[in-house]
Amino acid sequence: MTPDFDPIEAVRSYLKEAGCSAQIRETEATIFTVSDASAAVGAPEEKILKSILLRVNHGKSFALALMSGVNRVDTKKVKRLLGASAVSFSDAESCVAWSGFRPGGVPPVGYPQQPPTLLDEELFAYDIVWAAAGTDHAFFPISPEELLRVTGGVRGDIKKS
């Protein structure tokens, strides 16, 4: 990423170009963890969107898992859905190096090229979820259906049972 990379502006621009009216909000409080985000946003933890960057095929590419804040990703399910030989969680260094976004602020959109994106089925039980907008102090509300549209994602069961 370039030194002048503005993570919030990257998300804002992506949403605007996608024709999405979601408005980014900023808070003094951190949204670094799901419980932090829940308190800052004023929404239950299950409506906080976790955006998890995953390494695919030993870092040859990346994918994004989007899920309810109370759930965990099942990398075996993700591996099957992607048809990959290996899927693992991205560490903080490779996350920042590849995306420009730091853990705690990883958004569902705003990448130079949107990675393959998987939205967990359970998200669709909620009318609105709250997503990070590039930093651990910025977020935006969005419906799961709109999230599916703007990410070009795939809906599937990626939750660890």
Side-chain angles (χ1 to χ4, degrees):
M1 287 292 123
T2 60
D4 59 344
F5 176 71
D6 181 335
I8 297 172
E9 190 51 42
V11 174
R12 184 176 283 117
S13 294
Y14 189 101
L15 291 170
K16 184 178 179 184
E17 287 174 28
C20 179
S21 62
Q23 295 296 307
I24 294 174
R25 303 173 191 181
E26 294 185 62
T27 177
E28 290 292 318
T30 182
I31 61 164
F32 189 80
T33 68
V34 171
S35 59
D36 290 346
S38 176
V41 169
E45 290 186 5
E46 58 269 12
K47 291 186 178 185
I48 301 301
L49 182 76
K50 282 201 282 197
S51 299
I52 302 161
L53 192 64
L54 301 168
R55 294 169 38 117
V56 179
N57 298 336
H58 308 289
K60 290 183 182 156
S61 64
F62 290 86
L64 203 53
L66 305 180
M67 56 196 333
S68 169
V70 296
N71 294 330
R72 294 174 50 207
V73 176
D74 186 327
T75 55
K76 290 178 182 156
K77 289 179 179 179
V78 170
K79 186 171 117 173
R80 275 194 301 275
L81 281 170
L82 293 176
S85 61
V87 171
S88 61
F89 294 96
S90 178
D91 60 37
E93 282 181 29
S94 58
C95 180
V96 173
W98 185 80
S99 73
F101 300 112
R102 299 187 179 288
V106 173
V109 297
Y111 303 88
Q113 183 173 6
Q114 183 71 25
T117 305
L118 302 173
L119 287 81
D120 187 61
E121 281 289 340
E122 195 169 299
L123 288 175
F124 295 87
Y126 311 114
D127 53 345
I128 295 289
V129 293
W130 298 83
T135 75
D136 63 352
H137 292 279
F139 58 90
F140 63 96
I142 189 167
S143 73
E145 289 80 11
E146 182 71 345
L147 194 56
L148 185 66
R149 182 186 75 77
V150 300
T151 62
V154 174
R155 184 176 172 165
D157 174 17
I158 59 170
K159 177 178 76 170
K160 192 171 262 190
S161 302

